[in-house]
Amino acid sequence: MRDFGITLFDEWTAMWNGDLGLADKIMAPEFTLRYAQPGASDYDDIHDPRTFAAKIAEFHEQRPGIRFIPQGEPVVEIDDTRTGFVARPYGAALTGPDGEQVDVSGTDILRIADGLITEVWSVSGGPAGRSYY
């Protein structure tokens, strides 16, 4: 099950990198997002894959070229029913308002039930935060 959890996190990352068709594959029909980043309250009312994919597309329009990369060692606790948790740090690179490269990091925790993501906790310092070390 560890491999399943790592693959699911990789698909989660690919979705955030623009492969929006993955939303219907990896997200439960109804889920909860809990984002601790500054300005992330728009995600509080998103509970379905279609709306989530549209929000990710909007996110990319506002931050062209942003790229997410899993970092560090994943923590995977998933049973044979594909239910449990995956947590992993990630890094993101984007171009700042003055054209400078900005590196940020955070950690995403995915709660999974029957192989689908049902809840997400995510924390990042945003562009003013620290990069992963």
Side-chain angles (χ1 to χ4, degrees):
M1 287 295 101
R2 180 172 173 75
D3 289 342
F4 170 77
I6 292 170
T7 297
L8 185 62
F9 195 94
D10 288 345
E11 290 174 325
W12 165 258
T13 303
M15 180 182 67
W16 271 98
N17 283 330
D19 190 349
L20 302 179
L22 286 169
D24 286 324
K25 177 184 176 194
I26 66 173
M27 302 303 296
E30 187 173 326
F31 52 82
T32 301
L33 302 172
R34 302 179 191 282
Y35 286 94
Q37 291 85 332
S41 60
D42 290 353
Y43 293 87
D44 294 351
D45 295 325
I46 297 174
H47 301 286
D48 67 276
R50 182 177 299 166
T51 305
F52 192 31
K55 186 64 177 173
I56 293 171
E58 179 185 311
F59 178 88
H60 276 271
E61 287 172 14
Q62 297 168 354
R63 296 160 190 84
I66 191 167
R67 183 100 179 123
F68 294 90
I69 301 166
Q71 297 179 328
E73 189 66 27
V75 176
V76 180
E77 281 290 329
I78 299 178
D79 65 21
D80 290 340
T81 67
R82 295 185 173 190
T83 297
F85 295 89
V86 177
R88 190 165 194 183
Y90 65 85
L94 63 138
T95 302
D98 298 326
E100 77 280 8
Q101 170 82 20
V102 178
D103 295 317
V104 297
S105 69
T107 299
D108 285 345
I109 303 168
L110 312 177
R111 184 166 64 95
I112 301 154
D114 297 322
L116 298 173
I117 299 169
T118 60
E119 191 167 10
V120 176
W121 294 270
S122 182
V123 63
S124 169
R130 296 172 62 177
S131 61
Y132 182 71
Y133 55 92

